[in-house]
Amino acid sequence: MTQLRAVVTGASSGIGAATVRAFRGAGWEVVAVARREERLRALADETGASVLVADVTDQADVDALRDRVRELGPIHALVNNAGGAKGLDSVEASDPEDWRWMFEVNVLGTKRVIAALLPLLREGAIERGVADIVNLTSIAGHVAYVGGGGYNAAKFAEHALTAVLRLELNGEPIRVIEVAPGMVKTDEFALVRFGGDRARADAVYDGVPEPLVAEDIAEIIVDAATKPRHVDLDLIVVKPVAQSAPHLVAKGPLTVRSAGRA
Ligand SMILES: NC(=O)c1ccc[n+]([C@@H]2O[C@H](COP(=O)([O-])OP(=O)(O)OC[C@H]3O[C@@H](n4cnc5c(N)ncnc54)[C@H](OP(=O)(O)O)[C@@H]3O)[C@@H](O)[C@H]2O)c1
């Protein structure tokens, strides 16, 4: 039987690290990619994943990543998870450098890694009958919100590139899967967004009953990548029950308004 192999970017924390654990739990070999080596090493010790230090915004790093992964063999899934938000200021007031960061990692990083690894995914598709590209966008890639600015723009762009890729790969046994989560309580997402301001980051989740956690998304990713090969989950939008839209999140316990019996 083919040994399945996945590459997961942004694997040093949050959704990416949970996805590495979930794939390993399902018996896959995993190459975990991020910039922080120490965290990757700890994840490797814990899970047995291979690790690769790379900045997805750097073409030389992505080329080296491709060469290293090629030595390991074909791949059957690529999870483009490296990404994030910076700032929550208006279009008028926000810092263009934050926008540049968001475009570099969410959009161009995803594009670079796809371009580098598609040949190895094609080899994997020949072996397995199908291969998967899973892009982590966000509900911010579908619905604008005040202060969303650069993050909305970057995630809308990542959604668009995912849709284009699906058209371009038509006829090949490669599924292009977009996972678009709402609020996921991870250690670092909000911390990065607010430049390391822990109090502001924690406040995002204050009072929110049961936000999603990284493991919820990881389970969905592995489920999508292990569906029968004719089943393509194109777009998976997943939110906590408390969140109806990016800007509409219930605080406090969820309560039934009326029992509803006449
Ligand atoms: N948390 C949420 O509410 C939420 C909701 C919807 C969508 N998402 C999306 O889900 C993905 C993961 O989010 P998360 O909550 O798990 O955030 P996170 O904990 O901040 O993880 C982001 C990961 O990306 C890596 N990364 C950042 N820049 C990179 C670069 N240039 N090259 C390589 N790796 C890079 C980081 O590792 P290093 O710093 O070590 O490189 C880290 O492992 C992101 O794309 C995010 O936009 C998150």
Side-chain angles (χ1 to χ4, degrees), residues 9-17 33-37 39-40 54-58 80-85 101 104-106 136-140 151 155 158 179-190 192 205 214:
T9 70
S12 62
S13 63
I15 295 168
V33 181
R35 293 167 302 177
R36 285 171 296 174
E37 184 166 9
R39 281 172 162 267
L40 289 178
D55 180 338
V56 298
T57 70
D58 182 320
N80 288 299
N81 164 77
W101 184 89
E104 285 285 348
V105 64
N106 293 289
L136 263 290
T137 63
S138 168
I139 56 171
Y151 189 55
K155 288 300 192 185
E158 194 180 0
V179 178
M183 180 181 276
V184 187
K185 188 174 181 185
T186 57
D187 288 341
E188 297 192 353
F189 177 81
V192 171
Y205 308 103

Side-chain angles (χ1 to χ4, degrees), residues 3-12 15-34 40-41 43-53 65 68-70 72-81 117 218 221-222 225-226:
Q3 171 59 57
L4 298 176
R5 188 176 299 107
V7 174
V8 179
T9 70
S12 62
I15 295 168
T19 302
V20 171
R21 293 188 183 98
F23 271 120
R24 291 293 297 142
W28 290 53
E29 280 182 8
V30 183
V31 182
V33 181
L40 289 178
R41 293 265 161 244
L43 187 66
D45 291 345
E46 177 199 327
T47 64
S50 308
V51 300
L52 233 153
V53 177
L65 164 70
R68 223 355 258 301
V69 174
R70 194 193 279 142
L72 300 174
I75 57 173
H76 309 92
L78 163 64
V79 181
N80 288 299
N81 164 77
L117 297 186
I221 291 168
V222 173
T226 49

Side-chain angles (χ1 to χ4, degrees), residues 127-168:
E127 274 187 354
R128 186 193 177 206
V130 72
D132 295 301
I133 297 173
V134 182
N135 289 349
L136 263 290
T137 63
S138 168
I139 56 171
H142 297 261
V143 183
Y145 57 92
V146 172
Y151 189 55
N152 275 140
K155 288 300 192 185
F156 268 73
E158 194 180 0
H159 161 66
L161 89 79
T162 305
V164 171
L165 184 69
R166 193 177 295 116
L167 301 178
E168 292 171 353

